[in-house]
Amino acid sequence: MNVSLNWLATHVDLKGKSPDELDKLLTFAGVEVEGIEIKGVRSDKIVVAQIMEAVQHPNADKLKVTQVDAGEGQLRQIVCGARNYKVGDKVPCCLPGADLGGFVIGETKMRGVESRGMLAAASEIGLTDAEDGLMILPADAEIGKPVRELFESDILLEVEVTPNRPDLLSHYGMAREMATLLEVPLHPLNITALETRASSDAIRIDSPEACPFYTLTRIRGVKVSESPAWLKARLESIGLRPINNVVDVTNFVLHELGHPLHAFDAAKVHSPIIVRQAADGESFIALDGATYPLTSDDCLISDSSGAALALGGIMGGAESGVTEATTDILLEAAYFTPSRIRRSSRRLALSSDSSYRFERGANPEGALPAAALAIRLILEIAGGNVEGDTLTAGNPPQLTGPVALDLAKLDQLTGASISHQEAATILERLGLTATADGLWQVPAFRADLQRHIDLVEEIVRVKGLDAVPSRFQGTFVPSSAVDHDYDADMRLRHRLAGLGFHECQTIKLIADAQLIDALPLKPLQPGDSIRVALPLSEDHAVLRPSLVPGLIASAERNLRQQASSIRLFEMGRFFRNAGGGKAKDLEAESLALLISGNRQPESWTQKPAKADLFDLKSIIQALIPGVPLQLVPKEKANFALGADIHAGGQNIGSFAMVSPARQREIDSPAPLFVAELELAKLRKLAAVSTDIADLPQFPGSSRDVTFDAPAALANAEIEKAFGKLQQPLLVSFECVDLFTDPSGEKLAADRKAITYRLHYRAADRTLTANEVDTAHQQALAFITQQLGIGCR
């Protein structure tokens, strides 16, 4: 928002503060000043000069050589290309050394003729052009006098107002803030209260949840014309273009008091005014000339004919706007619910000064004072008469109330550096009023003050943080569940980094096309994906139901950089609309892994092997050492191979290989293997303590066994059976060979021979051959009985 210091000075004495001092004052009070612009003539070397002679340039048809009197006692020769002047006119003359905003005037030659300065147009010296060519100054202007003394200069502060401070979105609101910070009085507003009357015949609010309060004032006999100079100057000072006196008044009041207004041409409105929700598919032609499709979420101002007059709180309609032919107007002043305005403005991509204020929360009690000021100015500038009372419907919502200030906590937080009396004085300067029961009544324009800590923050902000002494008050705080989770996640990160992985941090929004890469912990059903209502782009349209799409996109970028080995992981949140909409089902955390390419760097001594699914399985096992891990085959949509990951007797995630078709799309020369694990379960499993054991003191013994099993029997089923085996001497087992013969010559095509190596050891002695044989036979008998298979 642009703030004019000249405009601001009509409400508060700035005590001669420089722009830099005001910048520092506001910044330390939490109001960011993004820029300072000086408007008007900047340089004292731009003076009034009279053209005494003008002759044709000898070498240029479009240039003339002038002799001007700049009050120096002798004439100054300047070459000029303008044509709108005559000898005797007084114009701005930029003497050598005049700074025109980074361009410094000097003495030069133009087409061989010396030119000692420049005759300027208004826009070239910081003013507004009123004519094409040189700026013609008044005939009585004193020759040699700096032009800046003839015109009012101004300074603009470009201020960034945080969303919780809509009270600052006006010059009066900013003046109120300045008065508080500078400890000076605020000039009172000259506004007479309106006579109001509730009227259900003239106004009907069908959507009180969107517009709880609406007022109309009819003014007859206005003369719509150009605004007076002071009003145009006010609007132009903050970058607004004057339109006509009625519209300019509503814009002036908006920037004066911060409450938007709108004027209708009464001849184009059929009573009553109806505040309603738009119908789905209804269209609206706005003042900007564009047509907007509406939905039932949009608040519409219409009349009895059903015609759309305005999009409530955002923009007026082209068909009911004020023109030069208007003689009677209806002045609207209302309060609109911020969330409704924000939703419509974002969906329609239609923003205005009005919507900017309403969506942040205008003062509910500001509608009538704003209307009163606008009515007074319209009567002064455009003439006319007010017909009857101001008509109202509904009531302004009560958004503020009494708030308690805990003085003990104030002392604790500020180290008792601010006295209770000074705190009370600051709150009074902010507009709060002390009540008999020790509470503070918050004014309607400060709806952000709702709690004790809000009052403390305001007191400290106004006093200045530098006035509160710094002190160390650190105390011991017991660790929480959040701390434990953070520590567990960091241990997992360190383990993965040690295994050669790089951490990714991808955006939580993905494109529709990326959903095929999702590897959710539970299969996605129609409607499970959560879509963004107003995505910034098609690439950010869906909340990710899995972290895998982000890893695959990252792998694709790495592949384009000729990466030969890729190991990526990401920890983060995923989102899905499953479980009946329960909050716990909408958002959870997971760990995603991706490997592809070479298992180790290339070497001249050996050809590098490609990473496979067993590499990824071993990596997952390394994250949860000591916990048996199994991959249970299960089809995963859009992937070539899929499995559920079981550990500790529970399903902890999903495992898959990217399909060859998808692999070709991203130009990957090697298969990509991915996994996604439930982070909550993984933390608990990774936290299982593993006792550090001494190296075995006694030798062990191994036995190999080959099972004759159906080809369809999964290895996971065999490992599960071994896991159930209660044999104290069996310390480990592993699959060492697999043989199949699709031709059926050496082994039936529907059978396989799978070899396991079983390791036996006792902690207190060396096992005899008989002990090993007995334990081995018991193990084989159990496995064959459990699975119904034989041994070869």
Side-chain angles (χ1 to χ4, degrees), residues 32-110:
E32 182 180 357
V33 178
E34 293 191 330
I36 300 175
E37 179 185 357
I38 299 175
K39 301 198 69 173
V41 183
R42 299 186 180 186
S43 177
D44 286 329
K45 292 191 174 183
I46 303 174
V47 300
V48 178
Q50 187 172 24
I51 300 175
M52 308 304 293
E53 179 184 303
V55 298
Q56 185 65 43
H57 193 291
N59 302 319
D61 294 339
K62 295 183 179 181
L63 297 178
K64 288 189 176 182
V65 181
T66 67
Q67 301 292 330
V68 301
D69 180 4
E72 300 170 301
Q74 58 182 1
L75 299 183
R76 176 176 290 271
Q77 178 173 294
I78 297 177
V79 177
C80 177
R83 295 183 176 276
N84 67 314
Y85 63 89
K86 62 182 183 297
V87 174
D89 283 345
K90 293 180 179 179
V91 297
C93 175
C94 302
L95 301 176
D99 188 348
L100 303 185
F103 174 70
V104 179
I105 299 299
E107 296 187 3
T108 184
K109 286 188 176 182
M110 300 183 68

Side-chain angles (χ1 to χ4, degrees), residues 708-709 739-753 792:
D708 184 0
F739 176 75
T740 59
D741 185 7
S743 67
E745 296 179 2
K746 298 181 180 179
L747 184 67
D750 60 348
R751 307 293 293 178
K752 66 181 177 181
R792 297 177 66 86

Side-chain angles (χ1 to χ4, degrees), residues 631-649:
L631 299 181
V632 180
K634 186 174 183 180
E635 185 176 346
K636 302 294 179 182
N638 304 315
F639 288 91
L641 296 176
D644 286 341
I645 304 172
H646 287 199

Side-chain angles (χ1 to χ4, degrees), residues 202 214 216 262-276 278 282-288 294 299-322 330 332 336:
Y214 193 91
L216 273 181
H262 185 67
F264 299 108
D265 186 335
K268 302 173 183 177
V269 177
H270 301 84
S271 186
I273 290 286
I274 303 171
V275 183
R276 62 177 175 85
E282 190 172 358
S283 62
F284 170 70
I285 303 176
L287 282 172
D288 62 3
L294 306 181
C299 180
L300 201 62
I301 312 299
S302 66
D303 61 9
S304 58
S305 69
L309 306 178
L311 190 57
I314 300 178
M315 188 172 286
E319 298 177 0
S320 61
V322 173
L330 289 172
E332 168 197 281
F336 295 94

Side-chain angles (χ1 to χ4, degrees), residues 159-211:
V159 178
E160 179 65 30
V161 178
T162 54
N164 67 316
R165 293 298 306 275
D167 60 297
L168 298 180
L169 295 175
S170 67
H171 281 80
Y172 190 75
M174 192 61 71
R176 186 168 49 217
E177 182 79 357
M178 289 285 198
T180 301
L181 299 175
L182 293 172
E183 300 185 38
V184 296
L186 180 68
H187 302 164
L189 289 170
N190 182 21
I191 299 178
T192 303
L194 294 175
E195 296 293 332
T196 62
R197 174 171 59 85
S199 174
S200 58
D201 295 332
I203 306 171
R204 193 178 84 211
I205 299 180
D206 292 345
S207 181
E209 64 279 2
C211 177

